[in-house]
Amino acid sequence: MKGVLRKIFHEVRWPVLFFSVGLAIIMALLTALLPKVLGDIDKVFEKLPFIKPIITALLGMDPGDGFTAQMMQAFLWVHPTVLSIIWAHELMYCSRMPAAEVDRGSIDFLLGLPISRWRLYLAETIGWLISGATIICVGVSGHLIASSMLQPQMRPGAFAIFCVVANLFAVYLAVGGISFLVSASSDRRGRAIGIMFAILLVSFLLNFLAQFWQPAKQVSFLSVMEYYRPAAVIQSGSFPWFDVGTLCGIAFVAWLSAGIVFRRRSICTV
Amino acid sequence: MSVICTENLCKSYGSRRGVGDVSLSVEAGEMFGFLGPNGAGKSTTIRMLMGFLKASSGTATILGRDCWAASDLVKEHVGYVAGDVRLYSWLTARKAFQIVGEIRRTDVAEAGLKLAERFQLEVDLPVRKMSRGNRQKVALVLALAHRPRVMILDEPTSGLDPLMQDTLTECLRELAANGSTVFFSSHTLSEVDALCDRVAIVRDGQIVADEHLSTMKHQAPRSAVLTFRSEQAAKAVVVPDFVRLASANAETLVLELVGSAVELTKWAATQAITDIAIGQPNLETLFRGYYNVPMPTAQRLDSDEADFGLSGYPGTELKSVEQL
């Protein structure tokens, strides 16, 4: 497995570095700028009432009449740029094995070596977990550096940040697990990424529509975003066991299914 | 015990059949040619042997182990080269030795460097800068470096120049001399003829012949060119049943000899001929015969192989030249 891990490292080290640094910069900027941008959010709500459902959808809860400083920081964790960077890495990474390998034909080289498909898949999984943890940790460090420059009452507590990061990583696991499953069933990387992008978009829209459309609310449990509510976590200060558990459950089932599909399927590159 | 063994191996893609009922047995130290045109099912069979494809039915084993269920164990002893080698753009031969060595849990760098020298391969050049032939060399070096007990090659010479083809032939002969088994797929008869002891011919996913090359050469037709004293004499000839008429051109008849040369010379001695030339056994004709593909007319009349025309082959009724 060491050889496969070395190959993965060769392939993903630069993208992971770029995504990590990018996320750190974005999170630092958002941490510093959000209080200024959202300072007059009540007036924005009055002038542009349609903004409120968008913010509500992004936060996963109704911010109520007043935005606290810490609630503003919650907006950072659901900002589309932050989620986009994490998911872009995830879609690129999880579509590598086997979809991209089959697509470019290089899987013949890998499968010609004495390593089982399960081991290949485990090596990819290790790379996925480490790269995801790296990107999120470096991103969080950007946030922490920037928040150290804010007034103390504007910073969420360390435990709250830990809970939100855990919730975000659980989302990363769930999205990655589903991406692996789509990739394992596909021979084309573009198709796998397209399907995953559509799933994420529907998930995002469902979560958004559920705020003001009853039919969407009834099926919003299908959206992974339903289980990611940083504002509620920061407000309550308690660990989101149910959300994290649900996301980890989705991740495990999807990841295991992907492994089984990859183990059993015929690989055709010609 | 056979090193490579398949029994009634089938692979279907929905309603389309890739391979049907392939049974093969290849022994240790044998150089086995797997011959067939494009789309005949060679690669599908090889991909089932390598555990890439799951057989629809039948079994495939290498060194007694199931090629699908114990694929990783099987491949500890197998070197494999795909026909169309596709590698990672960043990969160099040197990095590949390290990665492959770690996966195989054996140092392949030393043997790899020696092989790279033999194949005139730059070990620090990334794949993205390599020609197709050099990529093929990387795959060959990686497959040979751990001295496999079984070498499976799927049309490995595409992209290699003739000198490198000779080097590959040398390497494979050395491997076989040390007891390894070589399974060599090709659609080019000449390279199989030059390398292999035994040949299986596959057509439409089925084995239509599986013989030692020496046996095949006995079965292969030979050409005989008879020059008669006059065109009339040539036209009046009634060809005996141990030859078939391939073509007639004025006083010259090109015959395909299916019997012995002795019979032909005895018969020719009774004819009004001025010259007779008997060619070597031609596998090309036999090979084409399995596919019912006639030799191109120009080739028949102009080249050496022209002598081995397939008109009327196989099973065409014999006619006199006059009837023709």
Side-chain angles (χ1 to χ4, degrees):
Chain A
M1 198 189 281
K2 194 177 161 192
V4 182
L5 288 172
R6 186 183 295 281
K7 170 196 155 291
I8 293 169
F9 176 72
H10 267 291
E11 289 176 336
V12 303
R13 56 188 168 166
W14 293 114
V16 169
L17 183 68
F18 291 141
F19 281 120
S20 301
V21 173
L23 189 64
I25 292 168
I26 292 292
M27 289 187 84
L29 284 173
L30 288 173
T31 305
L33 297 176
L34 274 176
K36 292 171 189 168
V37 174
L38 298 177
D40 294 327
I41 195 73
D42 289 340
K43 289 176 187 168
V44 176
F45 284 167
E46 278 174 25
K47 285 182 183 172
L48 303 166
F50 63 92
I51 295 288
K52 196 170 181 181
I54 296 173
I55 301 282
T56 305
L58 285 172
L59 290 174
M61 63 173 289
D62 191 341
D65 292 332
F67 245 41
T68 64
Q70 291 188 346
M71 191 67 82
M72 286 174 196
Q73 289 299 328
F75 191 70
L76 158 79
W77 299 96
V78 292
H79 196 278
T81 317
V82 171
L83 295 177
S84 297
I85 288 175
I86 294 169
W87 287 342
H89 158 72
E90 192 147 42
L91 295 196
M92 280 178 66
Y93 189 97
C94 296
S95 60
R96 285 158 31 86
M97 177 65 80
E101 294 274 2
V102 175
D103 200 359
R104 68 183 168 210
S106 50
I107 200 160
D108 285 5
F109 167 72
L110 270 187
L111 293 184
L113 297 170
I115 183 163
S116 68
R117 294 189 190 187
W118 261 118
R119 280 182 169 271
L120 274 178
Y121 185 57
L122 281 177
E124 287 292 332
T125 303
I126 291 168
W128 165 58
L129 294 175
I130 292 174
S131 62
T134 305
I135 290 171
I136 291 173
C137 286
V138 174
V140 171
S141 66
H143 162 66
L144 292 176
I145 290 166
S147 63
S148 66
M149 296 165 197
L150 298 175
Q151 292 173 344
Q153 69 271 19
M154 295 185 80
R155 298 178 210 153
F159 181 70
I161 292 176
F162 167 75
C163 291
V164 173
V165 171
N167 203 170
L168 180 61
F169 195 69
V171 173
Y172 177 82
L173 295 180
V175 172
I178 298 166
S179 301
F180 270 130
L181 182 56
V182 173
S183 174
S185 318
S186 180
D187 285 343
R188 296 282 175 267
R189 186 182 209 179
R191 190 185 299 157
I193 290 178
I195 291 170
M196 267 319 294
F197 184 75
I199 289 172
L200 284 174
L201 195 65
V202 168
S203 187
F204 207 83
L205 284 174
L206 202 59
N207 192 52
F208 175 68
L209 292 173
Q211 305 303 320
F212 45 84
W213 191 39
Q214 193 57 29
K217 198 167 190 172
Q218 285 172 346
V219 290
S220 64
F221 67 93
L222 294 171
S223 163
V224 287
M225 296 304 291
E226 177 74 8
Y227 309 100
Y228 180 55
R229 292 173 291 187
V233 171
I234 289 173
Q235 203 171 46
S236 69
S238 58
F239 191 84
W241 289 108
F242 175 76
D243 291 342
V244 170
T246 306
L247 290 168
C248 287
I250 293 168
F252 180 71
V253 170
W255 175 85
L256 190 64
S257 307
I260 292 168
V261 170
F262 179 45
R263 168 68 187 83
R264 291 185 177 178
R265 66 170 288 194
S266 285
I267 302 285
C268 195
T269 55
V270 286
Chain B
M1 187 180 72
S2 300
V3 172
I4 300 173
C5 183
T6 69
E7 282 176 17
N8 311 115
L9 198 61
C10 296
K11 178 66 188 173
S12 303
Y13 301 99
S15 59
R16 191 169 65 87
R17 193 181 67 176
V19 162
D21 211 23
V22 169
S23 296
L24 288 170
S25 177
V26 187
E27 307 301 321
E30 201 168 16
M31 297 185 84
F32 184 83
F34 199 46
L35 199 61
N38 296 330
K42 302 187 298 294
S43 294
T44 302
T45 305
I46 286 177
R47 295 181 76 78
M48 283 191 280
L49 287 174
M50 291 302 296
F52 299 170
L53 297 178
K54 188 175 185 182
S56 304
S57 63
T59 58
T61 59
I62 292 179
L63 297 166
R65 286 196 162 114
D66 188 273
C67 291
W68 174 258
S71 176
D72 52 329
L73 297 175
V74 164
K75 282 177 276 191
E76 283 179 8
H77 307 286
V78 175
Y80 167 67
V81 180
D84 183 15
V85 173
R86 282 177 274 179
L87 297 165
Y88 310 102
S89 59
W90 52 269
L91 194 71
T92 64
R94 200 184 294 278
K95 281 179 191 164
F97 295 151
Q98 191 179 19
I99 290 170
V100 169
E102 282 171 352
I103 293 173
R104 290 198 175 278
R105 294 187 294 274
T106 176
D107 184 16
V108 297
E110 195 185 331
L113 287 171
K114 281 182 188 165
L115 282 163
E117 204 175 326
R118 274 179 89 170
F119 280 98
Q120 295 167 20
L121 178 68
E122 284 183 65
V123 290
D124 293 312
L125 192 70
V127 163
R128 65 175 168 272
K129 292 182 181 173
M130 285 183 183
S131 65
R132 188 181 171 210
N134 279 330
R135 290 201 300 271
Q136 197 79 19
K137 287 181 199 175
V138 175
L140 284 166
V141 166
L142 291 173
L144 287 162
H146 67 289
R147 295 181 189 85
R149 286 175 66 190
V150 182
M151 187 74 182
I152 297 178
L153 305 107
D154 188 2
E155 298 182 10
T157 52
S158 52
L160 290 185
D161 62 53
L163 290 176
M164 287 304 118
Q165 287 185 21
D166 291 345
T167 308
L168 173 63
T169 304
E170 270 174 37
C171 289
L172 294 178
R173 282 191 198 288
E174 287 167 17
L175 207 62
N178 289 324
S180 296
T181 303
V182 176
F183 189 98
F184 188 95
S185 142
S186 177
H187 56 78
T188 311
L189 182 69
S190 56
E191 60 184 15
V192 171
D193 188 15
L195 186 75
C196 300
D197 314 315
R198 189 153 71 90
V199 176
I201 297 178
V202 60
R203 182 181 69 184
D204 296 334
Q206 289 193 308
I207 304 289
V208 291
D210 182 356
E211 302 271 6
H212 280 274
L213 262 176
S214 52
T215 313
M216 267 193 180
K217 280 179 178 168
H218 278 116
Q219 293 170 354
R222 311 163 79 175
S223 80
V225 182
L226 271 65
T227 309
F228 286 81
R229 283 182 194 138
S230 65
E231 197 172 338
Q232 279 73 24
K235 278 185 179 171
V237 162
V238 176
V239 291
D241 57 3
F242 54 85
V243 289
R244 287 172 186 154
L245 184 65
S247 66
N249 183 18
E251 67 270 24
T252 304
L253 296 187
V254 178
L255 303 174
E256 190 180 282
L257 177 60
V258 289
S260 77
V262 178
E263 277 180 304
L264 177 67
T265 47
K266 277 183 186 168
W267 171 76
T270 64
Q271 305 298 311
I273 61 168
T274 57
D275 193 19
I276 180 169
I278 302 174
Q280 293 291 315
N282 188 283
L283 285 172
E284 192 77 24
T285 312
L286 190 71
F287 175 62
R288 284 170 179 270
Y290 283 116
Y291 290 94
N292 299 321
V293 179
M295 197 78 90
T297 310
Q299 202 181 357
R300 249 186 283 155
L301 296 176
D302 302 335
S303 70
D304 288 343
E305 291 182 0
D307 301 347
F308 313 104
L310 272 174
S311 305
Y313 180 86
T316 307
E317 281 183 28
L318 301 181
K319 296 173 182 173
S320 73
V321 178
E322 203 64 70
Q323 283 176 301
L324 281 170

